[in-house]
Every structure is written in structure tokens, then in C-alpha cells.
Amino acid sequence: MAVKFIEGVKPCSDAKVGIVVSRFNSFICEPLLAGAIDTLHRDGLIEDDNITVVRVPGAVEIPLALEAMAKSGKYDALIALGCVIRGSTYHFEIVANECAKGITQVTLSNQTIVSNGVLTTNTIDEAVQRAGSKAGNKGSEAAAAALEMINVMRQLKN
């Protein structure tokens, strides 16, 4: 008897993907969004008609939009994109933690793929590097993870 392996491959041209992106720190979030869409097109072979982008004010609002999208049943995967940069107050921890907790809650309570591309960085420079500079594009990486998970979950359901 052979061991069965379930792995995700990226192409899934029939998939419907929703992206929730924060407008706060848009100078970082827009390159994340561009990277995610490029990866969905290039690696996933997904057409524009199968991609929906929802813009929200900030990272705290991301989980609510994800929840509404997950409950709609229209999407094979969701991608969360945002950027929380540490400041001089405790606000950073609250926003970063609640956003991450909300994203996880949406994933588990709806059994929906949600790829977390919300940056939490100590400095603006760290954020810039993760939005298409030296450290790659985390929006693109979140999209790649979503594509793989779509195929993993499809195999698990069969």
C-alpha cells in the first residue's frame, strides 16, 4: 500500500478569489495588492472576472469584510492584505493582534481559506522591504498560499 500525499498546485483558473485590502498605509498596501493580483493571474491563471477586491479603512476592519465574504459562499479563497507599523503606543499590539485573531476566526468558523498577508512591522523600512523590495512581496506570497490551499482543500473534499 502506498502513502497518499495531498499537495496543492497553483493553477486553478476556475477559482473565485476575494481580496480584502486596507486603505491605511496605502503606500504599502497597494503594492501588496498588485503583487497578489499578479500572482493570481500568472500562477493561478485566474481572470479578472473571478477576482473581487474590497477596500476597508484599516486592519481592524479586515476580518468583518472577510466574514461577510466567507458567509456569501461565493469564494474559493480569501486574501487579507494590510500593514500595521509599530508606533510609540500600545495601539500597534491591539490592532495587530485583533486583526490576526479575526482572520483566524473567519477561517475556522467558516471553513474558508483565508490567506493572511497583513504585515506587522517595526518600521516603515521593514514594511517597504516586504511590499516588493528586498524581502519580496508578501501580497504575492499570500496569493500563492491561497492558490495552493484551494487545490489542497479540493482534494480533501473528494
Side-chain angles (χ1 to χ4, degrees), residues 42-126:
R42 191 172 22 86
D43 294 350
L45 307 175
I46 298 175
E47 299 292 330
D48 281 342
D49 289 347
N50 286 352
I51 301 170
T52 301
V53 176
V54 175
R55 295 183 190 278
V56 296
V60 172
E61 292 79 21
I62 290 171
L64 181 60
L66 290 170
E67 178 80 7
M69 295 174 88
K71 286 194 180 309
S72 77
K74 296 178 184 177
Y75 303 97
D76 295 294
L78 301 171
I79 301 169
L81 300 175
C83 180
V84 185
I85 302 170
R86 185 179 300 279
S88 59
T89 68
Y90 183 65
H91 188 251
F92 168 85
E93 283 82 4
I94 293 169
V95 172
N97 291 338
E98 292 306 310
C99 179
K101 187 168 94 178
I103 290 169
T104 300
Q105 184 176 340
V106 171
T107 301
L108 297 175
S109 66
N110 294 285
Q111 292 293 294
T112 299
I113 299 160
V114 183
S115 187
N116 187 347
V118 178
L119 302 180
T120 53
T121 64
N122 290 311
T123 66
I124 291 172
D125 185 55
E126 285 178 0

Side-chain angles (χ1 to χ4, degrees), residues 11-24:
C12 48
S13 59
D14 63 330
K16 298 202 181 338
V17 178
I19 302 172
V20 178
V21 60
S22 168
R23 286 195 313 268
F24 195 79

